[in-house]
Amino acid sequence: ESGVRAVISEYVPGESLRSLIKSKGKLEPLLALGIVETLASGLQFAASRGYVHGHLRPSNILMTQEGQIKLADLGLKGRITDEILAITHSGQLAPFYVSPEQVLSGTVNVPTDIYALGACCYHFLCGRPPFEGQSPYEVLLRLAEGDYPPIPLYNPSVSPGLSRIVEKMMSPEPDARYQDYESLLGEIGAVRAEQEHLRLASSSPGKPVRFTVPVSLPNSSRRYYGLIFLVGSLLLGLAG
């Protein structure tokens, strides 16, 4: 109107997944699995029309009062270079859910969205992002290492199959991730029965079923040296 461009968004009565987890803690695995399945289906449709999200995070995943999942900010991706230092309380936590190659080169495609969806799922299941730190640089260094605490360490009720799905989605190597949503959705369907069986076994009388976690966490052999160089350059720039 009057030559002024604007974006009109749907009003969604409810709350973001970030707000929900902050107030209630980690999600039940089957609920998290259903949310990821819904998001993957929506992103699959968007990808079929030539769109990627590029900035997926719990704060732009909304749940209505009826429990319906909505994805906000599709197509409104900002530049990673502008957001890399923007770790604030507003939910603009770019390094927490962004793939290494997106930080390095600004690459945005289906595998980068799948990585972000995996990082969000980790947050749903564990009640915290996969990588944490006291500063953006500390988060980036941990992202470069590609190491994060195993999901069962924070949520023993998660099945091995669901943990493997999240790990594959969050592989630091783009080619090692799911390359499309069809294959991801197929594995989600296959692991649902395993997770449901675990839920029923845990709720039955007797000793609950739990999976153990190794005491020493494995170190990833895949390191993004370019990302480490980027962090070092940022630190030197601040020092200068």
Side-chain angles (χ1 to χ4, degrees), residues 154-232:
Y154 293 99
N155 194 340
S157 63
V158 175
S159 70
L162 179 52
S163 293
R164 285 193 297 270
I165 286 176
V166 177
E167 290 167 5
K168 184 171 181 178
M169 293 170 73
M170 288 187 61
S171 172
E173 298 286 352
D175 291 342
R177 295 175 211 146
Y178 301 98
Q179 297 301 298
D180 53 64
Y181 294 105
E182 288 84 356
S183 55
L184 171 59
L185 288 166
E187 291 207 15
I188 287 176
V191 83
R192 186 186 306 281
E194 177 190 44
Q195 188 64 59
E196 177 64 22
H197 174 75
L198 177 59
R199 184 189 69 82
L200 293 174
S202 299
S203 61
S204 299
K207 187 176 180 180
V209 177
R210 290 293 184 268
F211 296 104
T212 58
V213 183
V215 175
S216 59
L217 305 183
N219 292 319
S220 172
S221 60
R222 296 167 178 167
R223 303 173 188 271
Y224 272 75
Y225 292 105
L227 185 54
I228 294 175
F229 176 79
L230 171 64
V231 175

Side-chain angles (χ1 to χ4, degrees), residues 37-60:
E37 184 175 34
T38 299
L39 292 170
S41 296
L43 290 167
Q44 179 186 34
F45 179 81
S48 71
R49 299 298 188 273
Y51 293 96
V52 292
H53 194 284
H55 199 188
L56 188 64
R57 61 194 192 277
S59 58
N60 57 29

Side-chain angles (χ1 to χ4, degrees), residues 111-172:
T112 61
D113 273 358
I114 286 177
Y115 180 100
L117 184 58
C120 288
C121 186
Y122 184 102
H123 196 158
F124 300 161
L125 294 169
C126 299
R128 50 153 282 170
F131 307 103
E132 291 188 326
Q134 298 300 314
S135 70
Y137 311 107
E138 188 175 347
V139 174
L140 284 171
L141 284 170
R142 293 181 179 179
L143 175 65
E145 293 289 333
D147 290 331
Y148 50 85
I151 291 173
L153 187 67
Y154 293 99
N155 194 340
S157 63
V158 175
S159 70
L162 179 52
S163 293
R164 285 193 297 270
I165 286 176
V166 177
E167 290 167 5
K168 184 171 181 178
M169 293 170 73
M170 288 187 61
S171 172

